[in-house]
């Protein structure tokens, strides 16, 4: 039956309500104590709850031994991958590990539990998204027990009088800290005549929308910095009825009140006046917040999170009067992603979550991501930026017949500030969006996105030298890189049984190179004739990657001993085994079909046979590479115009 027809809203709602009432609790403080005795973890403090929330779903440990990626990137640190952040955050392991480390030591009651966790990084690097994840995580945690009627949903254990705390603490096996808020204190005396065991306790869920355990402080108008946003205010209408120091006049509805037990987030934190920041610091350091009017300070237990961009941080840091605040901040830098494969995942995620339904030609996101990363990389003497990008992505880069011998680790060490500047994720998303709206066939391709990025850069407010640099990446570096990707792809689609041809070329090369190195002869498979190694064949392959005649001997030796070492380890050898040789073989294959490709791309002069070949190639690109008929035609035309021009 159709699922939609059989769906019954009433059953769903009732089922949900039943499940929720089971988990819910409503009773007296005495009953709460019994529950607490059985499950002491429900009495945990905010940092500890947050830490458990992150780690409970599990994590896996990656190191060079079990991760090819870490080996390739020569990352020596052990990386923990937390399921809590999985699928939403990419290339952020270091940041996430630092955040978890903060929560861990804070959960143990260390100094960090009395410090602000502060994220700093360029726009669009994912700071807000990390905060959102923590908040939505809290919303999904189990309900917490609170004093019923308390505006700060405070921990019921605050009801226990001081002289009994030690004993309670021992029986329950948990530490008890914090005092009643002025409103609950008043009710205890006034309503319950000190019989705290009868005080009502209930459970609530964390909720962003109802400001339950989650408080958010947006940057405030500097001319109107009223601390009521943080700590609530006095209800003026009630001042007629009650005395000024009567807790009944208090409206404890500030961000700290709301965020008690959970977290308080300060957006663009340093845009706020120092007075605000002092309240923030007292709340972390002393775990106390001021009460509006004349009441005493109020106990606060929550994680304080803040974020801003680097310019604000620098400005703030430069002011010496802020030293006390700086000392109470755990700073975590959130740089842009510099690893191509991870950057690509970001856009796939964003696009996957949107209503975007256009077809996307292969390499579209890749080219866009290459641009964003190129703008973020710091130039080095050791290589050009595209090479750096590839090395940072764990790719093997061939230069003059050899793997590039540059040490990635050293590259990284020489550019510690890398990733704090450049093009943001939002720029890339906007360019992709523009390319879609400009496109005709509900299909976008790298050519259109590159065009959109070029226009976008031209419109941006940028210093001239930077604009020139960015346009250089788009109009030169990426133009060439994309064409070289296309060339490989089209050749593969064009050459029937590409793989076999490559393998046979490889075996041939290896036979002759081996014979050459060992000064032996090659036996012809068919005629069994003993032949001299075919140097012409060897050179025709080596030349593809610029190996000079004088370097050829060395190259042949390297190839043979490399293959020998593989065979000795019982590893299968194939044309991709040795990256430089793979590159040479692919280039050789490309060169051999170049003439053909030219004919194929010339629509008007094709004969019947050529037309058939063309159609097979298009079909291969559609079936195997993920093109649609429109983008396939577009890229072939583009390749024809740029690659195989006479
Ligand atoms: N490393 C990353 N992994 C996954 N998504 C990311 C990453 N970096 C950025 N994003 C995505 O990019 C978009 C912009 O990020 P976000 O709004 O969190 O940035 P921000 O650092 O808060 O920027 P701003 O300083 O402008 O507020 C979001 O959709 C976010 O999910
Ligand atoms: Mg943000």
């Amino acid at each position: 039956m159709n699922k939609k027809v059989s769906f019954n809203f009433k059953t769903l709602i009732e089922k949900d309500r039943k499940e929720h009432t089971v988990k819910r609790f409503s009773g007296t403080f005495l009953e709460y104590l019994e529950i607490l005795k059985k499950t002491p973890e429900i009495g945990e403090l905010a940092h500890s709850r947050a830490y458990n929330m992150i780690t409970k779903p599990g994590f896996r440990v990656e190191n060079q031994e079990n991760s090819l990626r870490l080996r390739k990137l020569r990352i020596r640190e052990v990386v923990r991958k937390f399921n809590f952040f999985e699928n939403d955050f990419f290339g952020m392991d270091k940041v996430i590990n630092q955040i978890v480390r903060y929560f861990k030591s804070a959960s143990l009651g260390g100094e960090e539990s009395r410090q602000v966790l502060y994220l700093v990084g360029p726009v669009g690097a994912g700071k807000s998204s990390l905060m959102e994840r923590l908040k939505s995580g809290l919303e999904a945690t189990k309900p917490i027990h609170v004093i019923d009627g308390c505006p700060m949903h405070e921990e019921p254990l605050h009801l226990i009088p001081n002289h009994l705390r030690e004993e309670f603490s021992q029986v329950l096996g948990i530490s008890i800290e914090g005092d009643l808020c002025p409103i609950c204190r008043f009710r205890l005396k006034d309503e319950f005549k000190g019989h705290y065991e009868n005080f009502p306790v209930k459970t609530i869920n964390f909720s962003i929308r109802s400001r339950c355990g989650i408080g958010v402080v947006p940057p405030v108008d500097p001319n109107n910095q009223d601390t009521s946003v943080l700590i609530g205010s006095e209800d003026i209408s009630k001042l007629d009825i009650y005395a000024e120091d009567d807790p009944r006049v208090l409206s404890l509805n500030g961000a700290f009140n709301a965020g008690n037990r959970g977290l308080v987030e300060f957006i663009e934190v340093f845009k706020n006046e120092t007075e605000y920041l002092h309240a923030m610091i007292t709340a972390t350091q002393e775990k106390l917040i001021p009460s509006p009017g004349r009441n005493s300070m109020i106990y606060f237990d929550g994680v304080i999170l803040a974020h801003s961009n680097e310019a604000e941080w620098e400005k703030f840091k430069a002011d010496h009067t802020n030293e006390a605040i700086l000392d109470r901040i755990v700073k975590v830098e959130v740089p842009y992603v510099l690893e191509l494969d991870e950057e690509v995942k970001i856009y796939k995620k964003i696009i996957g979550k949107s209503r975007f339904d256009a077809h996307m030609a292969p390499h579209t996101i890749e080219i866009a991501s290459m641009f964003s990363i190129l703008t973020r990389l710091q130039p080095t003497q050791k290589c050009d930026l595209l090479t750096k990008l590839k090395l940072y992505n764990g790719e093997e880069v061939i230069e003059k017949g050899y793997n590039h011998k540059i040490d990635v680790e050293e590259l990284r060490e020489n550019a510690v500030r890398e990733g704090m500047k450049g093009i943001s994720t939002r720029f890339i998303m906007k360019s992709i969006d523009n390319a879609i709206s400009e496109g005709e066939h509900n299909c976008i391709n790298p050519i259109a996105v590159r065009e959109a990025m070029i226009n976008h850069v031209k419109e941006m407010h940028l210093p001239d030298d930077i604009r020139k640099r960015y346009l250089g990446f788009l109009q030169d570096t990426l133009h060439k890189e994309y064409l070289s990707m296309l060339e490989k792809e089209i050749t593969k689609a064009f050459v029937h049984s590409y793989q076999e041809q490559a393998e046979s070329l490889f075996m041939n090369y290896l036979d002759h190179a081996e014979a050459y190195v060992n000064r032996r002869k090659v036996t012809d498979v068919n005629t069994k004739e003993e032949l001299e190694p075919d140097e012409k064949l060897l050179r025709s392959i080596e030349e593809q990657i610029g190996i000079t005649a004088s370097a050829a001997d060395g190259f042949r030796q390297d190839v043979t001993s490399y293959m020998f070492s593989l065979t000795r380890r019982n590893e299968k050898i194939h044309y991709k085994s040795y990256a430089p040789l793979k590159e040479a073989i692919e280039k050789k294959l490309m060169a051999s079909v170049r003439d053909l490709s030219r004919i194929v791309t010339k629509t008007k002069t094709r004969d019947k046979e050529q037309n058939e070949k063309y159609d097979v190639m298009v079909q291969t690109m559609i079936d195997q590479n993920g093109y649609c008929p429109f983008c396939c035609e577009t890229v072939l035309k583009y390749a024809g115009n740029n690659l195989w021009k006479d």
Side-chain angles (χ1 to χ4, degrees):
M1 213 202 317
N2 185 335
K3 211 173 165 193
K4 277 186 188 158
V5 176
S6 66
F7 190 83
N8 187 329
F9 288 108
K10 196 154 182 258
T11 331
L12 178 80
I13 293 167
E14 278 169 359
K15 185 169 158 266
D16 178 69
R17 184 168 299 139
K18 208 165 141 202
E19 276 171 10
H20 268 85
T21 33
V22 174
K23 278 190 227 143
R24 288 244 165 90
F25 165 83
S26 170
T28 63
F29 179 57
L30 198 61
E31 288 164 313
Y32 170 64
L33 285 172
E34 289 303 326
I35 302 175
L36 197 59
K37 210 161 80 184
K38 278 186 232 135
T39 47
E41 66 272 13
I42 61 172
E44 67 195 342
L45 296 176
H47 287 89
S48 174
R49 184 175 301 109
Y51 178 66
N52 288 333
M53 161 186 96
I54 296 170
T55 51
K56 276 258 169 71
F59 62 88
R60 59 177 199 281
V61 178
E62 282 189 356
N63 51 35
Q64 288 213 356
E65 257 161 51
N66 62 21
S67 157
L68 179 65
R69 175 178 161 264
L70 295 187
R71 269 204 304 281
K72 276 189 173 169
L73 295 176
R74 318 244 334 231
I75 295 177
R76 285 188 230 201
E77 291 107 70
V78 173
V79 175
R80 288 190 296 165
K81 293 270 196 186
F82 293 89
N83 295 337
F84 181 79
F85 292 105
E86 199 84 351
N87 302 328
D88 266 328
F89 297 93
F90 307 105
M92 277 197 153
D93 297 333
K94 203 168 154 195
V95 174
I96 289 174
N97 277 262
Q98 275 174 282
I99 293 177
V100 180
R101 214 170 300 140
Y102 161 86
F103 278 110
K104 181 171 184 182
S105 50
S107 75
L108 299 172
E111 182 54 29
E112 267 90 344
S113 66
R114 289 167 186 268
Q115 305 231 328
V116 174
L117 176 64
Y118 165 64
L119 306 184
V120 58
V123 293
K127 302 178 296 292
S128 299
S129 307
L130 282 167
M131 299 288 171
E132 290 307 319
R133 182 67 196 100
L134 293 173
K135 290 189 281 184
S136 68
L138 267 187
E139 283 191 314
T141 54
K142 280 196 204 132
I144 51 165
H145 292 76
V146 305
I147 294 184
D148 197 354
C150 173
M152 290 177 65
H153 19 265
E154 67 181 312
E155 166 60 60
L157 287 172
H158 295 175
L159 287 163
I160 302 172
N162 273 332
H163 65 276
L164 283 177
R165 286 201 175 181
E166 173 121 22
E167 218 176 321
F168 269 78
S169 186
Q170 272 175 14
V171 177
L172 294 168
I174 52 175
S175 66
I176 301 168
E177 65 168 59
D179 291 304
L180 284 177
C181 80
I183 293 176
C184 293
R185 203 179 323 124
F186 178 83
R187 281 182 68 202
L188 176 61
K189 242 189 358 218
D190 189 67
E191 219 174 294
F192 294 91
K193 312 289 174 238
H195 292 268
Y196 55 89
E197 68 278 20
N198 298 332
F199 222 103
V201 170
K202 67 168 183 179
T203 51
I204 59 157
N205 283 87
F206 285 100
S207 158
I208 303 174
R209 218 168 35 166
S210 12
R211 302 180 80 228
C212 248
I214 298 171
V216 179
V217 188
V220 200
D221 175 3
N223 300 319
N224 177 26
Q225 297 233 336
D226 182 351
T227 47
S228 66
V229 177
L230 298 180
I231 57 167
S233 56
E234 286 180 309
D235 187 339
I236 302 173
S237 66
K238 288 189 183 152
L239 279 173
D240 293 344
I241 322 171
Y242 305 116
E244 209 183 330
D245 59 354
D246 190 313
R248 282 171 293 186
V249 306
L250 296 177
S251 288
L252 297 182
N253 56 6
F256 280 119
N257 312 117
N260 187 36
R261 310 289 298 276
L263 63 83
V264 179
E265 175 193 16
F266 282 78
I267 298 171
E268 298 186 40
V269 56
F270 297 126
K271 285 223 172 101
N272 293 311
E273 286 297 316
T274 335
E275 193 190 349
Y276 257 51
L277 299 177
H278 279 296
M280 174 179 94
I281 290 305
T282 321
T284 19
Q285 197 66 19
E286 321 287 341
K287 296 193 91 170
L288 290 173
I289 53 171
S291 159
R294 299 216 176 137
N295 280 283
S296 55
M297 303 281 275
I298 305 173
Y299 174 82
F300 166 82
D301 171 45
V303 179
I304 299 188
L305 304 169
H307 47 111
S308 81
N309 61 40
E310 232 189 354
E312 280 170 23
W313 163 252
E314 293 298 337
K315 206 170 101 204
F316 184 80
K317 208 174 60 171
D319 185 345
H320 286 296
T321 54
N322 292 329
E323 254 163 36
I325 296 176
L326 289 172
D327 200 37
R328 290 167 172 83
I329 283 176
V330 176
K331 172 168 159 259
V332 173
E333 287 189 355
V334 186
Y336 287 133
V337 170
L338 301 175
E339 205 179 325
L340 180 62
D341 290 346
E342 300 295 305
E343 179 80 356
V344 166
K345 287 183 198 160
I346 297 178
Y347 305 116
K348 288 204 169 143
K349 172 196 80 170
I350 300 178
I351 290 169
K353 285 184 180 171
S354 72
R355 277 191 289 172
F356 177 94
D357 63 350
H359 177 258
M360 204 178 283
H363 313 302
T364 306
I365 299 188
E366 201 178 335
I367 290 289
S369 303
M370 280 185 164
F371 174 59
S372 59
I373 295 180
L374 284 173
T375 66
R376 298 166 185 171
L377 293 178
Q378 228 163 285
T380 160
Q381 304 270 313
K382 302 229 150 116
C383 59
D384 61 82
L385 284 184
L386 189 63
T387 303
K388 193 177 195 186
L389 178 148
K390 291 183 179 176
L391 292 170
Y392 275 10
N393 197 35
E395 292 169 37
E396 294 182 83
V397 180
I398 313 299
E399 199 190 55
K400 299 204 179 71
Y402 287 92
N403 274 334
H404 230 306
K405 285 277 180 322
I406 300 175
D407 188 344
V408 203
E409 217 177 338
E410 205 180 299
L411 279 183
R412 274 198 305 263
E413 273 164 16
N414 288 333
V416 275
R417 305 294 304 147
E418 209 164 41
M420 296 302 272
K421 286 200 173 68
I423 283 291
S424 86
T425 47
R426 290 197 198 98
F427 172 97
I428 300 296
M429 276 318 297
K430 257 191 251 164
S431 302
I432 294 178
D433 287 344
N434 285 355
I436 296 169
S437 53
E438 302 274 305
E440 288 172 39
H441 293 290
N442 200 28
C443 163
I444 59 167
N445 58 61
I447 306 155
V449 170
R450 197 175 62 100
E451 207 51 50
M453 293 195 290
I454 291 174
N455 292 335
H456 208 147
V457 167
K458 285 183 179 163
E459 285 162 12
M460 267 165 90
H461 288 287
L462 284 173
D464 281 344
D465 54 329
I466 294 189
R467 188 192 317 280
K468 215 170 128 208
R469 212 165 84 91
Y470 287 4
L471 288 176
F473 292 143
L474 289 166
Q475 291 168 329
D476 185 52
T477 319
L478 289 177
H479 174 66
K480 289 185 188 141
E481 180 63 14
Y482 179 52
L483 284 175
S484 118
M485 289 176 177
L486 268 186
E487 190 179 14
K488 275 188 196 163
E489 197 167 57
I490 296 171
T491 311
K492 282 189 189 173
F494 185 78
V495 182
H496 180 64
S497 60
Y498 181 90
Q499 178 88 10
E500 280 108 86
Q501 289 201 33
E503 289 302 350
S504 109
L505 204 52
F506 166 71
M507 287 323 266
N508 233 341
Y509 180 89
L510 205 57
D511 284 346
H512 288 266
E514 215 161 35
Y516 177 90
V517 168
N518 298 322
R519 298 183 207 295
R520 279 193 291 101
K521 297 223 157 98
V522 183
T523 322
D524 189 291
V525 211
N526 300 317
T527 61
K528 302 282 176 271
E529 214 179 328
E530 296 270 295
L531 302 169
E532 286 297 327
D534 183 351
E535 277 209 66
K536 238 170 110 187
L537 167 85
L538 296 175
R539 288 300 297 142
S540 75
I541 292 176
E542 290 153 0
E543 274 163 3
Q544 301 293 337
I545 47 171
I547 291 172
T548 57
S550 56
D553 276 23
F555 183 76
R556 290 169 202 171
Q557 225 138 34
D558 287 346
V559 172
T560 30
S561 53
Y562 185 78
M563 296 302 163
F564 182 65
S565 73
L566 287 187
T567 345
R568 213 173 31 196
R569 274 185 273 143
N570 269 335
E571 280 178 44
K572 212 170 150 340
I573 56 171
H574 45 82
Y575 88 94
K576 289 181 180 164
S577 298
Y578 189 60
L581 188 55
K582 165 179 171 271
E583 177 93 1
I585 285 175
E586 289 187 336
K587 284 204 166 145
K588 167 92 180 149
L589 275 177
M590 271 188 265
S592 69
V593 298
R594 195 163 292 175
D595 285 341
L596 229 48
S597 307
R598 192 189 305 156
I599 303 167
V600 173
T601 50
K602 289 269 184 312
T603 344
K604 293 206 181 87
T605 50
R606 270 186 234 141
D607 59 25
K608 185 163 172 281
E609 192 196 344
Q610 287 168 339
N611 258 332
E612 271 168 19
K613 280 198 167 167
Y614 179 83
D615 290 344
V616 171
M617 174 179 71
V618 169
Q619 206 51 47
T620 313
M621 302 226 346
I622 292 173
D623 294 345
Q624 292 178 12
N625 300 2
Y627 284 92
C628 82
F630 298 114
C631 55
C632 192
E633 200 188 314
T634 314
V635 303
L636 283 173
K637 215 185 263 168
Y638 185 73
N641 286 337
N642 290 281
L643 276 172
W644 297 302
K645 258 198 312 223
D646 294 300

